Amino acid sequence: MGGAMRHHWLLLGACGWVLLILMFVSKFISFRAIDDYGERVGGQSWTVPGTKLVKPNPASIIEKKPKPSDQPSAGPTAADWQSVAERRVESLSAVCRNSSLRNLTHVSIGKFVLDRIFVCDKQKILFCQTPKVGNTQWKKVLIVLNGGFPSVEEIPENLVHDHEKNGLPRLSSLKPQEITHRLSTYFKFLIVRDPFERLISAFKDKFVKNPRFEPWYKHDIAPAIIRKYRKSHRDSDQAASGLHFEDFVRYLGDVEGRQRMDRQFGEHIIHWVTYADLCAPCEIHYSVVGHHETLEEDAPYILRAAGIDQLVSYPAIPPGITRYNRTKVEQYFSGISKRDIRRLYARYQGDFHLFGYPSPDFLLN
């Protein structure tokens, strides 16, 4: 009997140790899962192959409240970002005064420009659309402000691009005196991005992916560019492969030949026409110029500056989507002659200077 009791207590003691170990392990696994979840990329395992697993210090598992000195440095304040916005506008004005760039920066405010500018009379805002720079989200903001929907999340994607139904009037739809009044008194803004990266985005969106099914880009515009700018376009296999980025670059850099084609293409060219031609930034004094690369800071600043930050929010921005990708730019331009790249830069040089983007010397030299 004594031996059986002793065996029983030994068994209970062993079980107790096992339970304690299991509780510790489960705590550690739970902590690791929480800790790694934010860093984990879908499809990857918890640990990197070939790395040595180091046993944790149990004390490190206890969550510690960080001291003030441990806190991450705060992002730019509203005052900081106001100075950034002011420098951008001042730099833009300085380039507009540069007579040597006048033919690349100055355009008349005609119907083409007025068609690009959307109006929100309720909040006295004008927004100039610059395609391939995330304009869909800003149009959603204006649709909400105009009373079309209670929030940006509820707006159907197809409605945003239906300019007959989305409730966003264009400046061109108003009388001359109404246009003049709004241009001189309303809050005006536009968004830009690196000009070459924008061209890559336009090429991918219209000639490669074409997600909104706009068949005229592949069936009408691409064949016309191939016929004129591909050196061996008579090769049926090459023609069947669709428009190449090299063809697109050659077309955009052709000063004289392109203009006749652009008249044939109509307003479809807005996806790659210069910012100067789209928004006339030297003739229209914009209140704020946002940059796609710093949209996380620019979007809330623009909402505050326009006095609408309590009325609407800008849609969530996926991580990394706005970051400039030099590697991608280099890949797209690899194999394209320096002559064609320099011609392309000559056309978009005004945009680079107006909005403070460095010239792409890594492609030009």
Side-chain angles (χ1 to χ4, degrees):
M1 186 70 178
M5 283 291 292
R6 192 162 50 252
H7 177 74
H8 177 71
W9 282 110
L10 286 172
L11 186 61
L12 283 175
C15 288
W17 278 108
V18 169
L19 283 171
L20 281 172
I21 292 169
L22 286 173
M23 286 172 65
F24 177 82
V25 169
S26 66
K27 270 283 188 185
F28 173 60
I29 291 173
S30 173
F31 172 79
R32 289 287 299 167
I34 293 168
D35 184 54
D36 289 349
Y37 184 77
E39 300 295 325
R40 186 187 182 204
V41 178
Q44 290 184 348
S45 60
W46 291 114
T47 56
V48 179
T51 57
K52 187 177 180 180
L53 184 63
V54 180
K55 292 183 179 180
N57 178 354
S60 69
I61 298 174
I62 301 171
E63 186 179 353
K64 294 190 297 181
K65 190 174 182 179
K67 300 174 185 177
S69 59
D70 296 333
Q71 297 281 7
S73 58
T77 64
D80 293 335
W81 213 251
Q82 182 171 346
S83 66
V84 170
E86 288 171 356
R87 284 198 302 272
R88 288 175 182 172
V89 173
E90 289 167 5
S91 176
L92 171 63
S93 299
V95 174
C96 288
R97 294 192 297 269
N98 186 338
S99 57
S100 66
L101 293 170
R102 187 174 181 83
N103 64 326
L104 292 171
T105 57
H106 287 258
V107 301
S108 59
I109 305 176
K111 186 178 184 301
F112 184 81
V113 171
L114 297 175
D115 276 345
R116 310 280 75 78
I117 301 176
F118 293 100
V119 183
C120 175
D121 279 327
K122 284 188 175 182
Q123 303 299 327
K124 297 186 177 181
I125 294 172
L126 299 180
F127 168 60
C128 186
Q129 178 188 22
T130 50
K132 313 325 305 166
V133 190
N135 285 270
T136 298
Q137 310 303 341
W138 284 110
K139 285 197 280 186
K140 287 180 180 179
V141 168
L142 296 184
I143 290 170
V144 170
L145 292 174
N146 277 344
F149 285 83
S151 69
V152 293
E153 291 79 16
E154 297 177 55
I155 304 172
E157 290 294 324
N158 59 332
L159 179 70
V160 180
H161 304 288
D162 190 340
H163 295 132
E164 301 298 322
K165 299 177 180 178
N166 65 14
L168 286 182
R170 298 173 187 263
L171 200 54
S172 58
S173 67
L174 305 177
K175 296 176 181 177
Q177 62 270 28
E178 294 173 330
I179 293 171
T180 302
H181 170 70
R182 284 160 177 76
L183 284 175
S184 61
T185 61
Y186 278 23
F187 178 89
K188 301 171 290 293
F189 76 102
L190 75 160
I191 310 294
V192 296
R193 74 188 295 185
D194 176 86
F196 277 8
E197 200 169 37
R198 174 179 169 241
L199 293 180
I200 292 170
S201 178
F203 174 77
K204 286 170 60 180
D205 185 58
K206 300 305 173 186
F207 298 106
V208 180
K209 296 180 179 178
N210 203 253
R212 288 201 290 274
F213 188 66
E214 300 163 309
W216 48 88
Y217 286 103
K218 288 186 177 182
H219 297 164
D220 301 322
I221 296 177
I225 295 174
I226 290 170
R227 282 193 297 270
K228 184 170 178 63
Y229 294 101
R230 188 173 297 177
K231 294 174 181 177
S232 56
H233 68 267
R234 292 179 182 83
D235 186 325
S236 59
D237 290 338
Q238 280 201 332
S241 67
L243 187 70
H244 299 167
F245 189 65
E246 183 179 10
D247 308 327
F248 190 54
V249 167
R250 199 170 287 132
Y251 146 68
L252 293 175
D254 182 6
V255 177
E256 297 176 2
R258 189 198 74 250
Q259 292 176 348
R260 188 168 59 254
M261 297 184 75
D262 284 354
R263 286 193 292 271
Q264 172 192 339
F265 296 158
E267 289 208 353
H268 300 313
I269 64 170
I270 64 170
H271 296 280
W272 51 80
V273 79
T274 65
Y275 298 132
D277 287 330
L278 287 168
C279 297
C282 288
E283 284 66 38
I284 298 173
H285 301 295
Y286 287 93
S287 314
V288 176
V289 176
H291 282 211
H292 185 259
E293 295 81 1
T294 54
L295 196 56
E296 289 85 349
E297 292 82 16
D298 284 353
Y301 173 78
I302 291 170
L303 296 179
R304 286 194 303 271
I308 56 174
D309 54 315
Q310 300 300 314
L311 303 175
V312 66
S313 59
Y314 188 83
I317 302 170
I321 198 169
T322 62
R323 191 177 300 118
Y324 173 72
N325 190 338
R326 173 170 163 164
T327 302
K328 178 181 70 177
V329 174
E330 288 176 324
Q331 288 173 346
Y332 267 84
F333 281 94
S334 64
I336 299 178
S337 71
K338 297 293 184 186
R339 171 179 169 272
D340 288 335
I341 297 176
R342 288 177 187 138
R343 281 185 171 184
L344 181 72
Y345 177 69
R347 183 187 175 195
Y348 291 90
Q349 185 179 4
D351 282 356
F352 277 94
H353 285 282
L354 284 168
F355 301 108
Y357 287 101
S359 64
D361 294 333
F362 61 95
L363 297 175
L364 299 170
N365 301 325

